[in-house]
Amino acid sequence: MNILVIGGGGREHALAWKLKQSPRVDAVIVAPGNAGTAGECKVRNAEVAADDLDGLLKLAAEERIDLTVVGPEVPLVAGVVDRFRAVGRRIFGPSAQAAQLEGSKAFAKDFMQRHHIPTARYAVFTELNAAWEYVLQHGAPIVIKADGLAAGKGVVVALTLAEAQCALDKIFAVNSLGDSTVRVVIEEFLDGEEASYMVMSDGYHALPLASSQDHKRRDAGDKGPNTGGMGAYSPAPVITPEVEQRIMMEIIQPTLRAMADEGVPFIGVLYAGVMIDRQGQLKVIEFNVRLGDPEAQAVMLRLNTDLVDLVDAALDDQLQHVSVEWDRRPAVGVVLAAGGYPGKVTTGHVIDGLGGWGPVGKVFHAGTKRTAQACVATAGGRVLTVCALGSTIADARERAYAMTQKIHFEGMFYRHDIAYHALGYRQ
Ligand code: AMP
Ligand code: GLY
């Protein structure tokens, strides 16, 4: 069979790499892909942007695609799944309506409130004065979220009132330019440890994926601005079997049930960002409607089951009948980013030292492209995710960092403390 993977980041490289390992797969086409997907056997890129829905439909017809897997949220929120289904194409991901769980923070918060799914206290505003009033009432620290997709960058955790004011001014400055649709969610600051919990869903049943944890902030010690993610590891020791059971009972199952009850069954990967506080209380920070990036890279490295079989089961409403096997070894992934990320970056810098890691390591590409000289050059903010398996998290981490030592491009930087949360736990 022929598979189409939509997207061009590290997550999509990991998906394409895993899907092509299925003996049932003849070819994987990635749109638009990157230099990493271009370099995998059985995999090739197509120059179609991930948000070009007409182009993707045309590509799927031309390449006789049997199954499409969507990586990023943008095409999901834009309705790629509805468009493919309408012409009878098999595609794995939520409908546009179900994707509102990620596409609109206001929708997600209202949904959680309606269905008693634990989340931070919040209010939604469309007007600066009322928003500021609410901030003054509740004080800092407080969290300001622009509604809509923002690649993990639309959230300000304001530690002071001045920071909150600055964030609100920025959001409503856009509003004053005539965009009347601006909405802001202001919510209670949650303290604790954050973990990513992802499941595959066929609309009714959930198949849990291996737990993982991401580092969202740019700098060591979880400081600096929010990013799409600077590194990840799997499993996440904070998700003990007991916590896992509670996440399923208190968050995942009620969410899937409520979506189905509202007539919008959720098919795809549901990702709950969960805060676990010192008292062990769980609260949803956010929902995503797709695999995390870079969580997917660490999780795919550990997946031993055929991913095509799992996706098929989800599309055929058979998830309750399948089981999934994981490599017992933990995985750690370190993101190598371009100077300036998460702000503006320069691109086109040649990357040296790629390749030849053997079976325990894998470098997943994100913002990379091939140059006319057959080199690989940078083409985005997050450039590579360097991943390794090890006998312990500490071992996997050491291996991943040893691999990063060999790689170089101008402006490259990365966090040196990925997985530090996990090292404190007894393994
Ligand atoms: P979100 O896009 O909603 O996931 O927010 C991005 C990041 O901001 C999260 O991963 C958290 O690290 C942080 N964050 C979001 N909401 C809160 C909150 N209520 N309390 C503390 N941190 C938060
Ligand atoms: N790593 C966080 C995300 O994919 O949203």
Side-chain angles (χ1 to χ4, degrees), residues 105 143 145 155 187-190 194 216 226 285-286:
K105 290 187 186 298
V143 181
K145 303 185 174 186
V155 174
E187 67 177 41
E188 169 197 9
F189 172 77
L190 300 175
E194 216 176 315
K216 297 247 162 87
N226 262 315
I285 293 182
E286 62 166 342

Side-chain angles (χ1 to χ4, degrees), residues 4 58 192 208 277 348 353 367 370 390:
L4 172 62
K58 192 160 157 265
D277 74 12
R370 282 199 172 153

